[in-house]
Amino acid sequence: QAQLVESGGGLAQAGGSLRLSCAASGLPFGDYGMGWFRQAPGKEREFVAGISRGGSYTNYADSVKGRFTISRDNAKNTVYLQMNSLKSDDTAVYYCAADRRLGTVSTRPSDYDYWGQGTQVTVSS
């Protein structure tokens, strides 16, 4: 059974940093593109960043470009999201997700097959 488990969330000050991790099990991790999404209260889930199977291609939402970096370690079955220069608008529950389709990294939640439970990120101003 496939499982994704996020960690690393918490409270940060504006301008600070956090690093999220997502550990995968029960699936051939290297065969899946991975994405990070977030959902703030009262808002729809939105794409944050994505990375291709081998890690050679990444994609970011405009709101996080230059501040967030996605990476993966296929040997550890883990994907990361380094978040720098955090803003209060970054406050949300962050989810990782796995996409088994070939091709570029999707920004649509409906294209992803597996989801983690989420980890809360709160940025205080």
Side-chain angles (χ1 to χ4, degrees):
Q1 182 177 356
Q3 188 175 19
L4 302 176
V5 179
E6 302 96 338
S7 62
L11 179 64
Q13 289 189 335
S17 298
L18 284 173
R19 188 193 195 203
L20 305 183
S21 299
C22 171
S25 61
L27 75 165
F29 184 70
D31 289 347
Y32 283 75
M34 298 298 295
W36 284 98
F37 291 77
R38 67 187 181 186
Q39 188 166 17
K43 295 187 177 180
E44 293 187 352
R45 191 168 297 189
E46 65 174 358
F47 173 80
V48 175
I51 189 167
S52 60
R53 295 176 171 192
S56 60
Y57 177 81
T58 57
N59 190 19
Y60 296 92
D62 288 343
S63 60
V64 306
K65 278 180 182 176
R67 300 188 299 122
F68 290 10
T69 302
I70 188 171
S71 62
R72 66 188 296 162
D73 185 338
N74 285 354
K76 296 182 178 179
N77 290 355
T78 302
V79 62
Y80 305 96
L81 185 68
Q82 178 66 44
M83 305 187 295
N84 298 330
S85 302
L86 284 164
K87 305 176 181 180
S88 57
D89 287 348
D90 295 321
T91 295
V93 177
Y94 283 71
Y95 300 88
C96 69
D99 175 7
R100 64 187 170 193
R101 300 173 311 119
L102 289 173
T104 57
V105 174
S106 176
T107 62
R108 299 183 301 186
S110 60
D111 284 336
Y112 286 76
D113 303 287
Y114 301 106
W115 291 83
Q117 297 282 0
T119 185
Q120 176 70 48
V121 171
T122 303
V123 182
S124 63
S125 57

